[in-house]
Amino acid sequence: MFYIQKLKLINFRCYKDKKINFKPGVNIIVGKNAVGKTSLVEAIYCLSLTKSYKASRDSLLIQHDQPYYVLEGEFINKERSHSVLLSYELDKLRKRLLVDNNVIKKMSDYIGTFKVVMFSPDDSELIKGYSPQRRRFLDVYLGQINNKYLKDLSNYNKVLKNRNELLKKPNQNEQDLEVLKIYSEALVKYGINLITERKKFIEMLNPEVAKISLAISNETEKTELKYMPNVEKDDFLLKTFRQLKKDLYLQTTGLGPHKDDFIFEINGKDAASFASQGQQRTSSIALKLGLANLFDKLGMDNIVILDDVFSELDKERQNQIMQLFKEGKQIFITTTTIDSIHETLLENSNIIKIERE
Ligand SMILES: Nc1ncnc2c1ncn2[C@@H]1O[C@H](COP(=O)(O)OP(=O)(O)O)[C@@H](O)[C@H]1O
Ligand SMILES: [Mg+2]
């Protein structure tokens, strides 16, 4: 069994100093608008991924006018307790992560230890929105199951940054061009790993997403992802060298997995161009549910968070969705009113009321 048992928040968003206990199984977080439901589940996400899915910078997570935030979580994994402490100090721009009281220097060494699958209302934007969101989806979830992917990604981004800086330098000399060649080779090396892993990941995820989408649409809609690599791995090296003149002219790297994308297909058709809001919602729920099921299939325990997603569904649909999750899993559901939650689910849940501090 895997779950988070305790959470402590200091100067995190609207929380000055708060301790909360959770139970294994379903935890329903109830409270009026803007009391801090999302902030609470965001804290759990941060403890797992070491950064937020909402805030672009850690400074935004600190309570207004405070110098730092601290999050502390106690995770129970196979009957063993583990502590995770994440903090950020504004003046030193210092982020710290301690796991079982050991300092973790590289966040990528830790990510994936305690896995989280987050459902948020913004998920449906994945289908019609811009590609950076979809790349972030790949990085967050593939990164949790494949540590080498995270390392390749971090190396790729470093090389990409250096290469772009050199492309911007005015009047490159012979030596600069030599260095550019080395950067190009490194870019292709790491990039090929990213393309290979993304392809594999989407291939593994698809049967799960297809199964779930069919189950929640009375067998009428089958959602699948289709990977759209910006460049095929076998062409990457050659094309990068061919493209060098253009890159020099445009002063940026035009080719590579930093421009990858994927599309959603419903029954084989591109969902971005026709899916209704309802279909977008079902497809994005199928995506995340499929993901949680894929993690489980790989033997990777995970916590599921449904922020403001669940209470929007009718009770029959809620029931159906709950049955598609692996039994015993810890699930967080946020809602403004318990009236919107299915009665049997309420009976078997830990209900946590949040009031304005
Ligand atoms: N950095 C911050 N410092 C202080 N308050 C914040 C910060 N970020 C967000 N808030 C406030 O926290 C409150 C709770 O937000 P949220 O967790 O999204 O509420 P809920 O999900 O319950 O509607 C909001 O009033 C929001 O303005
Ligand atoms: Mg909210």
Side-chain angles (χ1 to χ4, degrees):
M1 198 151 49
F2 168 59
Y3 62 101
I4 179 166
Q5 186 165 50
K6 285 182 190 159
L7 174 66
K8 185 173 165 188
L9 312 95
I10 299 170
N11 297 336
F12 184 87
R13 297 246 191 229
C14 57
Y15 294 99
K16 174 101 225 113
D17 188 350
K18 174 122 183 143
K19 278 185 191 164
I20 304 190
N21 292 339
F22 303 118
K23 297 243 169 79
V26 181
N27 291 261
I28 299 181
I29 298 167
V30 195
K32 296 206 177 89
N33 268 322
V35 291
K37 301 180 297 298
T38 296
S39 306
L40 199 67
V41 290
E42 185 183 22
I44 298 172
Y45 182 98
C46 287
L47 283 172
S48 163
L49 271 305
T50 74
K51 57 173 178 254
S52 169
Y53 59 102
K54 286 183 79 186
S56 51
R57 281 172 287 125
D58 275 289
S59 54
L60 299 169
L61 300 172
I62 302 178
Q63 186 158 79
H64 303 316
D65 305 321
Q66 294 297 324
Y68 63 88
Y69 80 72
V70 181
L71 290 176
E72 253 183 278
E74 185 188 344
F75 290 86
I76 309 291
N77 194 14
K78 302 189 173 71
E79 270 122 58
R80 283 215 167 146
S81 156
H82 299 276
S83 69
V84 181
L85 188 149
L86 184 72
S87 68
Y88 183 75
E89 283 167 83
L90 203 51
D91 64 338
K92 298 190 189 111
L93 304 175
R94 189 170 69 163
K95 190 154 165 173
R96 270 163 64 86
L97 174 67
L98 275 88
V99 179
D100 293 331
N101 300 317
N102 299 313
V103 178
I104 309 289
K105 288 212 189 76
K106 267 200 202 154
M107 302 293 170
S108 60
D109 288 338
Y110 163 75
I111 293 170
T113 307
F114 301 122
K115 297 175 183 64
V116 164
V117 176
M118 166 72 88
F119 292 63
S120 95
D122 303 339
D123 286 351
S124 27
E125 282 171 30
L126 274 174
I127 295 161
K128 293 198 182 181
Y130 296 105
S131 63
Q133 281 173 276
R134 285 183 290 274
R135 285 194 293 275
R136 188 155 7 107
F137 166 84
L138 291 176
D139 295 344
V140 164
Y141 291 102
L142 174 51
Q144 287 190 74
I145 60 175
N146 185 337
N147 200 257
K148 180 166 177 294
Y149 174 84
L150 274 187
K151 302 228 152 90
D152 285 331
L153 181 67
S154 140
N155 285 325
Y156 181 86
N157 286 332
K158 263 182 233 154
V159 177
L160 181 65
K161 188 164 165 271
N162 291 337
R163 191 175 188 271
N164 284 341
E165 267 164 24
L166 199 50
L167 288 168
K168 283 188 181 65
K169 189 182 152 189
N171 309 317
Q172 292 98 340
N173 56 31
E174 275 300 307
Q175 198 193 340
D176 292 331
L177 291 177
E178 230 6 79
V179 176
L180 263 178
K181 203 177 140 202
I182 294 166
Y183 284 160
S184 300
E185 277 163 0
L187 191 81
V188 171
K189 184 181 102 180
Y190 295 122
I192 283 177
N193 294 346
L194 298 184
I195 299 165
T196 310
E197 291 307 322
R198 285 174 178 179
K199 185 166 180 286
K200 269 207 283 198
F201 176 62
I202 288 177
E203 276 167 13
M204 284 196 297
L205 185 55
N206 267 337
E208 306 299 325
V209 178
K211 200 160 67 188
I212 303 279
S213 57
L214 283 167
I216 59 178
S217 67
N218 297 318
E219 307 292 320
T220 60
E221 284 168 18
K222 180 165 144 187
T223 297
E224 280 177 306
L225 311 184
K226 193 163 157 196
Y227 182 35
M228 299 290 197
N230 174 253
V231 57
E232 295 293 340
K233 66 177 173 31
D234 295 339
D235 305 336
F236 196 7
L237 188 65
L238 190 66
K239 283 195 172 166
T240 295
F241 281 106
R242 274 203 201 135
Q243 165 108 359
L244 183 60
K245 259 209 181 117
K246 195 172 164 192
D247 281 356
L248 281 164
Y249 177 73
L250 294 173
Q251 305 189 338
T252 187
T253 304
L255 215 63
H258 60 290
K259 297 206 166 166
D260 271 0
D261 204 352
F262 64 83
I263 60 166
F264 286 76
E265 286 186 342
I266 301 177
N267 299 333
K269 293 201 186 71
D270 179 10
S273 53
F274 79 86
S276 68
Q277 283 200 330
Q279 286 173 317
Q280 288 177 61
R281 170 127 44 101
T282 337
S283 287
S284 60
I285 289 177
L287 174 70
K288 292 293 175 71
L289 237 165
L291 196 61
N293 286 349
L294 173 66
F295 280 17
D296 291 332
K297 208 167 141 185
L298 297 170
M300 298 173 161
D301 289 335
N302 57 90
I303 292 170
V304 163
I305 299 172
L306 295 144
D307 186 25
D308 272 345
V309 174
F310 206 67
S311 49
E312 307 281 303
L313 304 168
D314 62 59
K315 291 183 181 176
E316 202 179 317
R317 178 56 63 87
Q318 292 180 0
N319 224 0
Q320 192 186 25
I321 285 177
M322 288 311 288
Q323 274 157 19
L324 292 165
F325 283 113
K326 188 181 161 193
E327 221 181 287
K329 184 191 280 296
Q330 190 178 40
I331 300 179
F332 290 90
I333 294 171
T334 69
T335 180
T336 47
T337 158
I338 54 165
D339 296 340
S340 64
I341 306 283
H342 196 285
E343 293 69 24
T344 32
L345 181 58
L346 280 179
E347 273 168 40
N348 300 306
S349 304
N350 176 35
I351 296 171
I352 299 164
K353 276 206 193 101
I354 310 272
E355 262 141 31
R356 203 172 278 277
E357 301 278 293

